Every structure is written in structure tokens, then in C-alpha cells.
């Protein structure tokens, strides 16, 4: 028997392995099975090179569980190890058997997955003791047994239990599971991990036997057939020209059983300047972006590595589903390393290019089919434009606008369409858009009646993209159809002035302002404009810039200030409309006697205050006498009292005027803001007015 200490520079290597080297305990199983596959693939390569003359036989890797003994065993019929190789590759942690092997067989090596050595020590994350029973394929090699209890001390001895008749060569790795890792002794837990990490390994992996219902159908019983948990030739390893659409769809269902059929897919296959295979699918995204992320599975030579691919693929492509497989992506490193690795960045750039080329090709080959998929597809495009600095330059050739008539245009086509009619007085091209055809129907119709085209921006990221598009398009601005009255959406000249006096406009505004509802997180500003006798009497608009800032605050950190602000709406009274004129006529008739002395007094006090201010404006603060200060304060107080008195008269008139309330409620109703008790009152008032 040989005894010794593992060649490490510190006796604390195992705590380091347990705590820092691996971020997730469960990958111990991936490492053990990967090493078994590795040993099997080495044997295949040796035979191909003529260095192994024997038969390959059954190369199935077997994982077995003995819950009573508390062990998990991984067995292979691969290359095996001599005592010297154990000493070099297991006892000397700094070395890796793969490195030497690949150097010798670099032109013919089968898929060599793991780094036998350091990866092997992940076993100690869950084991209190590990044994290796192994016999090399080399002639006259003897079977040996290596054991270690999680300290640097190990033992190597002969392995009399190794039965050459049943197993000419290969290895058994036996893990004695630690007390605090007993969950891995559960059959279903173990099978779940095998399905997660080993589902597509290139050598059959068996875990127990297949089961079927017993004859009396009272329970499931084992059959004689191995339960093979993996597909040794997954779709991405095959030549695209040999595959049909149904093959890709079937594989998608294997990966994502509960998902809708994908839009389309991209088969990746490149061997220079790095090795990369895989299939990426464009899914149909129904709801939250976050729910759709982390559906790309990253593999290294068919071994599952992670589904946390941020930084490995560009942010916007984390919405894709599918598989990426590359031996150039290290298996046993942290995500932070992956995200900074130079080779990984090359892969990221390549994938972006492949996705862009594929989208452009589909657009050019079958535009009609592309347009039919656009509503599902545009989320990816918009996400890329928002998050990837140079993606717009690629995407502008296959990005589309859809208008409210369900017609599709490239950016250039749409610019040509609206260039003649939709330029403002400063020669800016105005892109009008709506976010909901039903909610904004009347605004859309008003714009269309004026000869304008209206885009439909009803996707999750349509509106957030506007700012980027405004930066890319020359002299262009996007405006929602309810951002202003239709005549002022695209200002061709200065706004027409109302023929009302300033006092009449102020009085009308005050009448309506006094009856505006107190809505949660909403405020209204009433203004009076001449909109033409054919336009509506009252229109609610919302400032484009303020609304956009509020919407952007939901997507961008640092903009919470805008998110906390109330929604600000303009209620525009059309002074040209007969109903507004009638209200003004009635107002003048019913309140002129009360308002005349108030207005006269107000005018006098305001003139007095102006004179006092003119007198004191040229004085330094210390030169203003107390008498002058008191005089100004008293005058201002008198003004405030007269204003309050006037407001009381106007509010009193408005409170009993049904037409004022009806017009306000109609405007609110049009914008979905009339609910509950207010809606009920509106209905009752409507019936009474019909009488």
C-alpha cells in the first residue's frame, strides 16, 4: 500500500474547493460524468490511431445510487489509469490529464470534455470520502484503488474487486455522500441533475433501468433495459442541410415542452476563429421581458454549463431560446470570468452578426412572411436598438413601422410616405403615433381626416425606442396623436388666436377648472383655444415630453423623479364651438351684474399695486418704509379677496350648469378617465338632458 499527501501548496485546498472554486454544489455530478465520458472518448481516439487494439465494447457510462450505503458511483469502460497516472493527474492538482492527451492527439481527439484533475475535486463538495477503482487499458496494467477522506492524505492499494472478466479496463468513482449533502441520495433529485447537465452528452449515460407498469398495474417495476438519460447526437451537432423544419420544431419541444411554436431559428456552425455550434430560436413572447430571459442553454462539448448567459451573448439576445455549444468556453470558471473572456466576446460578436444576417435574409426572401411575424419579432429588434450600441446600423435594413391600418413600411419607405404632408413650420418631419387603436380612436381619426398617417406603437419597447430613433433620424420628431389638438400636432404656422377677450378666456377657464375632478396622481390645466367650429368642444391632451419621461422612468434607473410626478393633462376648450359659446353667453348673462363691480375693484387694486411696485422698485430694501410695505401687503390682500370673490361667483355658476359637467365628463370618458360614481352621475345627467 502506498500512502502520501496530495501535492498542493496548502492544506486548506478542500475548504477552498467547497466554498470558492464552484458556485453550485450540484455540478459535482456534471464533473464526475464528464470525466467518465472523457475517459471513454480517449479510448475511441486511441483505437482510431491504432494505439489500442482491443474491442471498444459497451461504452455506456453508468451512474448508480445506493441510498442505504450513502454512495453514488459513476462507472465507465474507458481508458482507465495506472498508479503512476493517478499520482500525476489526481495527486498533483496543478496538472490535467486532458492537457497532455490533447497535445498528443490534437488532430484526432474525440470530444474531450472536462479537465480531469481539478474538476474531479468537486466531488469533495458533497463527499466525506471518495474512492477511485481503476484499471488502465495498457497491457499488464493492474487494477488499483485510490481513496481520500477530504484531507490531503490519500491511499493507493491494489484493487482485488476489479473483475477483468466483466470489465477489462475503466474506472469506478465512488462518492460517500456527506451528512450535510444527503439530498443528493434522492433518486429523483439525482435523475433531475443528470437530465440538466448530461442530457446531450456524446456517450450513452445510464441511470438505473427503464420502468413500466406491472401486470396488475399496481406499481412501476424495473425492466431489463437501461434507462438512458441522454441523446448522444443532439440536433445542433448535425449538418443543417440534412434537417427539416419539423426536426427543429421537435427539438424545440424537447427543450421547452410548454412553449408555443417558435417564429424561426438560426443554426450556428463555425470552426474559425473559434469553434461554435448551436441552434437559436426566436420565441413568441407574450408578456414580461424578464420571464423570457435565461432560456439559452450554454454547453461545452455537449456538457451543460449554465443558462445564465448575460455577458456571453448580447443583452437583447438573452430573449432567444436554444443552445450554444463551444469548446472554447471554459467549463469550470465563474460567470464573471466568462463575461470578460476575450474568446467569449468574439462569440458574442459573431452571434449578433449571424442573427442580423438571418433576419435580413428572411426579410429579403419573403417579406410577406416577415411582416406576419413582425409583431412578435419587433421586441427583439427594439431591445437590440436600445441596448446594443451598433445594432441600429444593422437593424435599420430589416426594421419595420406598422401603421394603424396594419400596413408595413421600412424606415425609408415611411419617410417618403409622410414627407410631403407631415413637416412642421421649422421643416421637422413629424411621426405621429398611437399606442392603442381603440383607446385613441378619435384622435387617430382626427389625424387621418387631416391627411396624416399614424403609426401604431403598441409593443412593450416601441415607445422607449422613440428617443433613439429621434437621434438617428435627421430633423425628425415623434408625437403621440393625443399630445395636442389635431391642428397643432404638426404646427404649420402660429396658433390662431381666439376672438375672445382675455377676461372671457380667463372666466371660461376658471368655470371649467373649478369642476375638474380630483383624480389620484393626475392634474388638469384648462386652456381656451380657437379650434374651428367643426372640431369637438372639449379635448384632453397630454404633453408628449412629460408623458414620455414618465414612461421612460419605468425602464431607466435615475429617472424616478419623473415617475413620481402626477400625470399632467390639458383640457382644451374650443372657443369656436357653439356649446362653449352658449356657456359663455349664459355666463355673461347670469353673472355680469355680480362680476362687474368685482372686476372694477380688482382692476383698480391691481393698478394701485402696479403703481406701488413702480415706486419701490428703484429703492434698496432698507430704503422701503414700513408704511409702503403695509400698503403693498394690504393692496395684495384686497386683490386676493376680490379674486376669491370672483372665483366664488364663477364656481357657483359652474356647479349648477349641466352642460359644463357634461362636456367635462365627455372628455374624460373619451380618455377612459370617467369611472365609478362620476360615470353613474354622467349617465343619469345624459338621460335628463335627452328629455
Amino acid at each position: 500500500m502506498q500512502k502520501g499527501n496530495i501535492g498542493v501548496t496548502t492544506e486548506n485546498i478542500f475548504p477552498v474547493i467547497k466554498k470558492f472554486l464552484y458556485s453550485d454544489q450540484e455540478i459535482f455530478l456534471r464533473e464526475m460524468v464528464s470525466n467518465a465520458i472523457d475517459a471513454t472518448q480517449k479510448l475511441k481516439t486511441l483505437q482510431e490511431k491504432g494505439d489500442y487494439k482491443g474491442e471498444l465494447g459497451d461504452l455506456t457510462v453508468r451512474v448508480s445510487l445506493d441510498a442505504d450505503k450513502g454512495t453514488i458511483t459513476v462507472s465507465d469502460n474507458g481508458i482507465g489509469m495506472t498508479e503512476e497516472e493517478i499520482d500525476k493527474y489526481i495527486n498533483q492538482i496543478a496538472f490535467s490529464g486532458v492537457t497532455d492527451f490533447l497535445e498528443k492527439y490534437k488532430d484526432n481527439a474525440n470530444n474531450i470534455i472536462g479537465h480531469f484533475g481539478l474538476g474531479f475535486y468537486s466531488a469533495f463538495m458533497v463527499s466525506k470520502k471518495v474512492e477511485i477503482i481503476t484499471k488502465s487499458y495498457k497491457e499488464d496494467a493492474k487494477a488499483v484503488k485510490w481513496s481520500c477522506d477530504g484531507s490531503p492524505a490519500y491511499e493507493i492499494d491494489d484493487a482485488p474487486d476489479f473483475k477483468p472478466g466483466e470489465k477489462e479496463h475503466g474506472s469506478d468513482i465512488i462518492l460517500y455522500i456527506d451528512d450535510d449533502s444527503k439530498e443528493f441520495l434522492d433518486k429523483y433529485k439525482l435523475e433531475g441533475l443528470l437530465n440538466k447537465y448530461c442530457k446531450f452528452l456524446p456517450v450513452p449515460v445510464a441511470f438505473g433501468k427503464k420502468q413500466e407498469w406491472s401486470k396488475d398495474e399496481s406499481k412501476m417495476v424495473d425492466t431489463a433495459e437501461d434507462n438512458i438519460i441522454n441523446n448522444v447526437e443532439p440536433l445542433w451537432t448535425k449538418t443543417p442541410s440534412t434537417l427539416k423544419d419539423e426536426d427543429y420544431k421537435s427539438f424545440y419541444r424537447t427543450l421547452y415542452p410548454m412553449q408555443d411554436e417558435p417564429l424561426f431559428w438560426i443554426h450556428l456552425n463555425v470552426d474559425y476563429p473559434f469553434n461554435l455550434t448551436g441552434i437559436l430560436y426566436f420565441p413568441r413572447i407574450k408578456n414580461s421581458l424578464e420571464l423570457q430571459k435565461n432560456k439559452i442553454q450554454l454547453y461545452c462539448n455537449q456538457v451543460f454549463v449554465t443558462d445564465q448567459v448575460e455577458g456571453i451573448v448580447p443583452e437583447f439576445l438573452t430573449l432567444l431560446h436554444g443552445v450554444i455549444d463551444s469548446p472554447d468556453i471554459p467549463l469550470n470558471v465563474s460567470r464573471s470570468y466568462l463575461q470578460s473572456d476575450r474568446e467569449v466576446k468574439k462569440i458574442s460578436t459573431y452571434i449578433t452578426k449571424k442573427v442580423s444576417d438571418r433576419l435580413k435574409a428572411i426579410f429579403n426572401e419573403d417579406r410577406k412572411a416577415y411582416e406576419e411575424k413582425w409583431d412578435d419579432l419587433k421586441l427583439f429588434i427594439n431591445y437590440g436598438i436600445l441596448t446594443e450600441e451598433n445594432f441600429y446600423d444593422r437593424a435599420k435594413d430589416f426594421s419595420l413601422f406598422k401603421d394603424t391600418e396594419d400596413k408595413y413600411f421600412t424606415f425609408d419607405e415611411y419617410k417618403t410616405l409622410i414627407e410631403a404632408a407631415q413637416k412642421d413650420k421649422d421643416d421637422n418631419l413629424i411621426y405621429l403615433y398611437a399606442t392603442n387603436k381603440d383607446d385613441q380612436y378619435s384622435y387617430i381619426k382626427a389625424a387621418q381626416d387631416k391627411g396624416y398617417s399614424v403609426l401604431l406603437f403598441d409593443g412593450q419597447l416601441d415607445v422607449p425606442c422613440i428617443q433613439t430613433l429621434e437621434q438617428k433620424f435627421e430633423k425628425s420628431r415623434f408625437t403621440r396623436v393625443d399630445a395636442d389638438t389635431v391642428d397643432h400636432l404638426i404646427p404649420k404656422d402660429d396658433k390662431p388666436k381666439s376672438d375672445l377677450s382675455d377676461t372671457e378666456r380667463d372666466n371660461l377657464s376658471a368655470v371649467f377648472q373649478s369642476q375638474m375632478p380630483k383624480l389620484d396622481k393626475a392634474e388638469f390645466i384648462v386652456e381656451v383655444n380657437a379650434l374651428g367650429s367643426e372640431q369637438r368642444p372639449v379635448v384632453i391632451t397630454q404633453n408628449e415630453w412629460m408623458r414620455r419621461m414618465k414612461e421612460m422612468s419605468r425602464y431607466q434607473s435615475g429617472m424616478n423623479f419623473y415617475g413620481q410626478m402626477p400625470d399632467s393633462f390639458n383640457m382644451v376648450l374650443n372657443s369656436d364651438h357653439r356649446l362653449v359659446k352658449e356657456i359663455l353667453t349664459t355666463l355673461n348673462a347670469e353673472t355680469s351684474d355680480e362680476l362687474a363691480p368685482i372686476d372694477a375693484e380688482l382692476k383698480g387694486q391691481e393698478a394701485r399695486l402696479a403703481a406701488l411696485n413702480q415706486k419701490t422698485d428703484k429703492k434698496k430694501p432698507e430704503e422701503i418704509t414700513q408704511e409702503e410695505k403695509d400698503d403693498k401687503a394690504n393692496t395684495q390682500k384686497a386683490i386676493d379677496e376680490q379674486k376669491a370673490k370672483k372665483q366664488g361667483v364663477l364656481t357657483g355658476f359652474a356647479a349648477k350648469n349641466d352642460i359644463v359637467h357634461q362636456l367635462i365628463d365627455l372628455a374624460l370618458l373619451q380618455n377612459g378617465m370617467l369611472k365609478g360614481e362620476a360615470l353613474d352621475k354622467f349617465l343619469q345627467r345624459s338621460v335628463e338632458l335627452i328629455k
Side-chain angles (χ1 to χ4, degrees):
M1 176 186 293
Q2 176 186 339
K3 295 186 177 182
N5 284 336
I6 294 168
V8 296
T9 56
T10 171
E11 292 196 357
N12 292 323
I13 186 66
F14 293 105
V16 168
I17 286 172
K18 285 183 178 238
K19 188 171 182 181
F20 299 113
L21 183 58
Y22 297 96
S23 58
D24 196 344
Q25 265 195 329
E26 65 184 32
I27 60 92
F28 81 92
L29 189 62
R30 179 191 77 184
E31 294 297 321
M32 298 306 103
V33 177
S34 296
N35 288 338
I37 300 292
D38 191 5
T40 306
Q41 297 286 61
K42 285 181 180 181
L43 190 68
K44 284 185 182 180
T45 300
L46 290 170
Q47 188 193 57
E48 291 167 5
K49 295 284 287 186
D51 293 343
Y52 172 63
K53 306 298 183 183
E55 296 294 325
L56 291 177
D58 181 10
L59 296 180
T60 302
V61 171
R62 301 181 186 280
V63 179
S64 54
L65 169 67
D66 190 328
D68 294 333
K69 291 183 180 179
T71 61
I72 297 171
T73 302
V74 179
S75 304
D76 69 74
N77 297 336
I79 194 172
M81 286 184 287
T82 63
E83 185 172 335
E84 291 75 22
E85 287 169 333
I86 285 181
D87 188 54
K88 180 177 181 181
Y89 299 132
I90 301 299
N91 296 337
Q92 302 296 324
I93 284 182
F95 295 97
S96 168
V98 173
T99 306
D100 291 350
F101 187 85
L102 282 181
E103 182 59 33
K104 185 175 181 181
Y105 295 103
K106 59 186 177 183
D107 297 326
N108 196 43
N110 279 286
N111 291 342
I112 307 303
I113 297 167
H115 298 264
F116 201 108
L118 195 57
F120 163 74
Y121 277 90
S122 65
F124 288 97
M125 292 193 298
V126 298
S127 306
K128 57 189 174 186
K129 178 183 176 183
V130 178
E131 293 177 350
I132 303 174
I133 302 174
T134 184
K135 183 183 178 185
S136 172
Y137 75 99
K138 295 176 181 177
E139 291 184 15
D140 301 325
K142 65 177 182 178
V144 294
K145 176 181 178 180
W146 177 94
S147 63
C148 178
D149 63 0
S151 69
Y154 68 88
E155 294 182 358
I156 297 180
D157 205 349
D158 292 341
D161 294 336
F162 197 93
K163 299 175 182 177
E166 297 179 13
K167 193 172 183 179
E168 293 296 335
H169 44 73
S171 301
D172 288 352
I173 312 294
I174 306 168
L175 312 182
Y176 293 82
I177 303 303
D178 213 339
D179 290 341
D180 58 3
S181 300
K182 292 294 186 185
E183 73 267 22
F184 296 112
L185 295 175
D186 179 82
K187 175 185 175 182
Y188 299 104
K189 170 79 171 179
L190 207 59
E191 189 166 20
L193 292 180
L194 287 168
N195 273 303
K196 178 178 179 179
Y197 289 106
C198 309
K199 192 171 185 176
F200 299 112
L201 287 174
V203 173
V205 178
F207 180 60
K209 300 294 182 181
K210 283 190 175 179
Q211 290 192 319
E212 62 181 21
W213 284 103
S214 59
K215 289 183 179 180
D216 60 5
E217 296 192 356
S218 60
K219 62 178 180 178
M220 297 289 287
V221 295
D222 289 345
T223 65
E225 188 178 351
D226 285 334
N227 176 34
I228 304 297
I229 58 91
N230 58 320
N231 175 358
V232 298
E233 291 186 340
L235 204 68
W236 75 82
T237 64
K238 299 179 180 180
T239 305
S241 61
T242 66
L243 301 174
K244 299 178 180 178
D245 286 358
E246 184 51 40
D247 296 323
Y248 288 104
K249 292 176 183 178
S250 177
F251 185 60
Y252 187 78
R253 289 192 291 271
T254 299
L255 294 173
Y256 314 103
M258 305 302 291
Q259 294 284 333
D260 292 337
E261 189 175 288
L263 296 169
F264 49 81
W265 47 86
I266 300 171
H267 197 136
L268 305 170
N269 192 349
V270 63
D271 53 18
Y272 181 82
F274 45 79
N275 292 304
L276 178 73
T277 55
I279 302 171
L280 293 177
Y281 293 89
F282 282 76
R284 298 178 188 274
I285 293 182
K286 301 293 185 185
N287 42 37
S288 170
L289 291 177
E290 294 303 318
L291 294 178
Q292 298 299 325
K293 289 185 177 181
N294 299 329
K295 296 294 181 68
I296 295 178
Q297 299 174 11
L298 181 67
Y299 288 78
C300 175
N301 280 331
Q302 296 175 231
V303 182
F304 177 78
V305 179
T306 182
D307 57 9
Q308 305 287 313
V309 296
E310 296 96 330
I312 302 167
V313 301
E315 171 73 10
F316 76 103
L317 293 183
T318 59
L319 297 178
L320 298 182
H321 295 179
V323 170
I324 297 171
D325 191 337
S326 175
D328 294 326
I329 294 177
L331 191 61
N332 297 323
V333 292
S334 65
R335 282 183 61 218
S336 61
Y337 177 88
L338 281 174
Q339 292 170 5
S340 61
D341 183 75
R342 185 172 297 177
E343 292 303 313
V344 171
K345 289 189 181 301
K346 288 181 185 176
I347 291 173
S348 175
T349 302
Y350 168 77
I351 292 172
T352 302
K353 182 180 184 303
K354 284 290 289 184
V355 168
S356 301
D357 291 346
R358 174 72 168 139
L359 290 171
K360 187 174 181 179
I362 293 173
F363 173 71
N364 290 334
E365 291 165 10
D366 191 346
R367 176 163 173 171
K368 186 174 186 299
Y370 186 84
E371 289 178 356
E372 289 171 356
K373 294 181 173 71
W374 178 251
D375 284 350
D376 293 298
L377 191 59
K378 65 179 177 179
L379 185 67
F380 300 99
I381 311 296
N382 289 339
Y383 201 11
I385 288 173
L386 282 170
T387 59
E388 197 75 9
E389 184 177 353
N390 299 319
F391 185 68
Y392 171 83
D393 294 328
R394 295 181 184 273
K396 60 183 172 60
D397 294 329
F398 49 78
S399 291
L400 298 178
F401 282 142
K402 183 174 82 168
D403 70 7
T404 52
E405 303 295 306
D406 293 332
K407 296 176 183 175
Y408 295 87
F409 307 87
T410 65
F411 290 167
D412 286 341
E413 289 168 351
Y414 195 74
K415 179 182 178 183
T416 301
L417 176 74
I418 66 172
E419 211 155 17
Q422 294 184 207
K423 282 190 174 180
D424 67 9
K425 61 181 181 178
D426 298 318
D427 207 34
N428 294 307
L429 191 59
I430 309 301
Y431 291 76
L432 299 178
Y433 70 94
T435 55
N436 187 297
K437 282 202 289 189
D438 293 329
D439 292 351
Q440 294 149 20
Y441 174 82
S442 61
Y443 296 95
I444 295 169
K445 186 175 184 304
Q448 290 174 334
D449 289 346
K450 205 165 178 64
Y452 298 153
S453 172
V454 181
L455 295 170
L456 183 61
F457 283 178
D458 59 351
Q460 273 182 274
L461 297 179
D462 288 354
V463 173
C465 265
I466 285 175
Q467 203 158 341
T468 302
L469 294 179
E470 285 178 334
Q471 292 169 0
K472 300 293 184 181
F473 294 178
E474 289 184 7
K475 292 203 72 176
S476 299
R477 191 170 70 249
F478 286 75
T479 301
R480 206 166 89 172
V481 286
D482 58 353
D484 209 330
T485 56
V486 67
D487 287 332
H488 305 143
L489 281 173
I490 306 177
K492 304 291 186 178
D493 47 38
D494 294 331
K495 290 184 179 182
K497 292 185 178 180
S498 170
D499 56 2
L500 302 183
S501 67
D502 290 346
T503 299
E504 287 176 320
R505 283 201 302 273
D506 290 345
N507 287 352
L508 262 179
S509 178
V511 163
F512 278 80
Q513 188 77 58
S514 71
Q515 303 305 304
M516 294 306 300
K518 303 294 188 288
L519 300 181
D520 185 39
K521 292 188 176 180
E523 59 182 27
F524 294 90
I525 300 170
V526 179
E527 59 182 65
V528 181
N529 286 323
L531 306 180
S533 59
E534 300 303 315
Q535 297 299 322
R536 286 184 169 82
V538 182
V539 181
I540 290 179
T541 65
Q542 189 176 14
N543 179 270
E544 171 74 17
W545 187 83
M546 283 301 298
R547 189 195 62 253
R548 198 189 297 180
M549 291 302 104
K550 281 181 67 68
E551 289 172 347
M552 292 293 289
S553 70
R554 297 201 300 267
Y555 297 94
Q556 292 186 13
S557 57
M559 297 185 68
N560 289 339
F561 167 75
Y562 293 104
Q564 299 302 317
M565 294 178 67
D567 291 320
S568 181
F569 299 95
N570 291 331
M571 179 167 277
V572 184
L573 306 180
N574 179 7
S575 61
D576 292 333
H577 195 279
R578 69 172 179 82
L579 288 176
V580 176
K581 288 182 176 181
E582 287 176 10
I583 290 172
L584 182 60
T585 299
T586 306
L587 173 65
N588 290 335
E590 294 185 8
T591 64
S592 58
D593 290 344
E594 282 188 271
L595 291 180
I598 296 173
D599 285 336
E601 178 65 19
L602 191 57
K603 189 174 182 180
Q605 294 292 348
E606 287 174 339
R608 175 174 173 76
L609 182 62
L612 290 171
N613 286 333
Q614 187 177 14
K615 181 180 178 182
T616 58
D617 280 348
K618 296 179 181 179
K619 292 184 178 182
K620 296 179 181 178
E622 61 271 16
E623 294 175 344
I624 301 174
T625 65
Q626 187 60 45
E627 183 181 357
E628 289 172 325
K629 292 178 182 178
D630 292 343
D631 200 359
K632 287 175 66 174
N634 291 333
T635 304
Q636 184 62 58
K637 182 179 178 183
I639 291 172
D640 293 341
E641 288 174 351
Q642 293 303 314
K643 284 184 176 180
K645 195 173 179 180
K646 180 176 182 178
Q647 184 62 53
V649 173
L650 297 173
T651 301
F653 166 81
K656 62 186 181 182
N657 189 294
D658 286 341
I659 303 301
V660 169
H661 292 109
Q662 197 73 354
L663 290 180
I664 290 173
D665 287 351
L666 282 170
L668 293 171
L669 184 66
Q670 180 190 353
N671 289 270
M673 290 187 268
L674 191 66
K675 299 175 182 179
E677 183 182 1
L679 178 58
D680 186 63
K681 287 182 177 179
F682 168 75
L683 295 173
Q684 291 182 31
R685 190 188 320 113
S686 297
V687 172
E688 292 169 1
L689 287 172
I690 290 173
K691 294 177 183 178

